Amino acid sequence: MQINSLPISFASDNHAGIHPDIMQALQAANSGYALAYGKDVITKEARTICKELFGECEVFFVLTGTAANTLALSTMLQPYQAVIAPETAHINTFECGATEKFVGSKILTVPSSDGKITIDQIKHHLRTVGSIHHAKPRVVSITQATEYGTVYTPQELKEICNFAHEQNLLVHMDGNRLYNAAAYLGVSLKALTRDVGVDVLSLGGAKNGLMCGEAVIFFDPGLAAYFENRQQQAMQLCSKMRFVAVQLGTLLSNNLWLRNAQHANNMAQMLADGLAKIPAIKITQKVQANAVFVTMPAHLIKPLQQKFHFYMWNEQKSEVRLMTSWATNEKDVQEFLHEASK
């Protein structure tokens, strides 16, 4: 079996391995017997840790980010209703239509040059409210940090949530990189979610050092009714839940989430600072989390991809995406900068 066949990867924070602390926690959880389906002590402890960080909430653990988003939205939407989101949102671009297929609801998208959504864009989709011929907007979905690596401030989030609630809309947050946003802003996870009015949060894990595991967190407990039934029906009620829960419990303890996110962010900033010095390369988005978007001459891309793994984002503009992670190190960054400057 060939191990670690990829070159140094700046393609995705999913490419990084498991953080040693998470691996150690998994090993410790692999001892003795435990009740199944989340009734075990480890899972209960992980829920308690979440509540200590976020305040009173209902917490459920699933295996993947797509499952977290889809199950969260399934509690918030009826099939005749719709979710408003930026066109770049993960639920629209990278989840193979899971929301439409499993929730049965339409995604109403808005154009976004930086991954964010604005109140004016939300208003655009409220013009058809009351018409039986159109899907009825019910949810606004925010991605934090965005697919472009940009970050909403607490004030921006609060304004969106307040407006949404005034319009009888709910707010869902795709928080797969929430840790990176909080690290960049220097605020708590609670300050970007519960405190600003988010109703339901999909909290990531795999992008910040876990093997697998995400959480669906309800700040409105009424929306959590029968969630475990939905979870079972969606094949996400893991029988050995302790091995999912212990990862998130460990990540959220002793600021491990923050240390991992800060490191990834710092590596992205180091990469951006170096690339900014290369005349042929232009940074196209603010570097606020762990993503760097740049345009570079097409003749540079293929030679670089032979030594480093990264994705083309927009072929027409010759724009690529470079992602860093908890596992990226300074040597990786310096090697990339050295090759890119040739």
Side-chain angles (χ1 to χ4, degrees):
M1 179 184 295
Q2 190 174 14
I3 305 297
N4 299 332
S5 58
L6 283 178
I8 294 171
S9 182
F10 290 101
S12 174
D13 33 14
N14 284 320
H15 288 183
I18 306 168
H19 190 279
D21 290 2
I22 303 298
M23 188 69 82
Q24 186 176 357
L26 280 166
Q27 185 63 45
N30 192 33
S31 176
Y33 297 95
L35 294 175
Y37 302 107
K39 307 303 181 185
D40 60 282
V41 171
I42 290 174
T43 301
K44 290 177 182 178
E45 288 178 352
R47 288 197 175 104
T48 298
I49 291 168
C50 287
K51 291 179 181 181
E52 289 172 351
L53 287 177
F54 290 99
E56 190 55 37
C57 56
E58 296 293 329
V59 183
F60 302 88
F61 301 110
V62 297
L63 293 170
T64 71
T66 298
N69 284 335
T70 304
L71 280 168
L73 291 169
S74 76
T75 69
M76 307 171 81
L77 290 162
Q78 295 295 326
Y80 57 84
Q81 295 176 325
V83 53
I84 303 172
E87 62 188 1
T88 56
H90 213 268
I91 60 171
N92 183 55
T93 55
F94 288 106
E95 296 185 354
C96 200
T99 295
E100 291 93 339
K101 176 176 175 59
F102 294 106
V103 182
S105 295
K106 186 175 182 61
I107 300 176
L108 301 173
T109 62
V110 299
S112 180
S113 60
D114 62 359
K116 292 185 179 183
I117 192 170
T118 67
I119 289 175
D120 284 342
Q121 290 173 320
I122 297 169
K123 286 179 180 177
H124 173 78
H125 283 299
L126 301 183
R127 295 179 300 175
T128 58
V129 170
S131 170
I132 62 171
H133 302 293
H134 296 85
K136 180 178 174 60
R138 176 58 173 155
V139 175
V140 176
S141 185
I142 297 169
T143 307
Q144 176 77 317
T146 73
E147 293 297 327
Y148 277 117
T150 53
V151 168
Y152 293 89
T153 66
Q155 184 60 33
E156 288 175 317
L157 292 171
K158 189 171 184 178
E159 289 173 1
I160 291 172
C161 290
N162 285 347
F163 174 78
H165 293 153
E166 288 169 3
Q167 303 300 316
N168 196 33
L169 302 174
L170 298 170
V171 178
H172 163 256
M173 178 177 283
D174 180 344
N176 261 285
R177 297 186 178 100
L178 177 63
Y179 312 109
N180 302 90
Y184 172 77
L185 293 167
V187 300
S188 69
L189 300 175
K190 182 171 176 279
L192 294 178
T193 53
R194 183 187 189 89
D195 289 352
V196 296
V198 171
D199 296 293
V200 183
L201 168 68
S202 301
L203 182 66
K207 290 178 171 63
N208 202 26
L210 272 60
M211 176 190 292
C212 63
E214 322 279 317
V216 182
I217 300 179
F218 293 89
F219 302 111
D220 179 350
L223 293 171
Y226 306 108
F227 184 86
E228 285 180 311
N229 299 89
R230 296 177 186 271
Q231 195 178 5
Q232 176 72 290
Q233 194 174 60
M235 298 167 283
Q236 288 292 317
L237 187 62
C238 183
S239 60
K240 295 185 179 181
M241 189 66 77
R242 58 175 156 155
F243 295 109
V244 179
V246 74
Q247 296 181 69
L248 277 154
T250 303
L251 181 67
L252 296 173
S253 298
N254 301 317
N255 282 329
L256 178 59
W257 68 268
L258 180 58
R259 297 196 302 275
N260 285 357
Q262 283 177 333
H263 177 79
N265 289 3
N266 290 342
M267 292 299 99
Q269 191 60 61
M270 178 184 293
L271 182 61
D273 290 345
L275 291 172
K277 298 174 183 177
I278 303 173
I281 295 176
K282 303 298 180 186
I283 297 173
T284 60
Q285 296 288 341
K286 293 179 180 178
V287 180
Q288 297 179 321
N290 62 322
V292 183
F293 286 81
V294 300
T295 56
M296 61 174 64
H299 70 268
L300 280 181
I301 295 174
K302 285 192 176 180
L304 279 172
Q305 285 182 324
Q306 291 177 358
K307 297 185 178 182
F308 307 92
H309 197 66
F310 61 92
Y311 291 128
M312 175 71 74
W313 185 262
N314 186 323
E315 193 163 1
Q316 288 183 330
K317 297 193 320 186
S318 195
E319 183 180 38
V320 303
R321 184 188 78 168
L322 303 167
M323 297 294 304
T324 55
S325 73
W326 71 267
T328 306
N329 59 55
E330 292 186 16
K331 183 173 180 290
D332 296 339
V333 173
Q334 293 302 330
E335 284 187 25
F336 187 91
L337 293 174
H338 175 72
E339 293 296 327
S341 64
K342 287 183 176 179

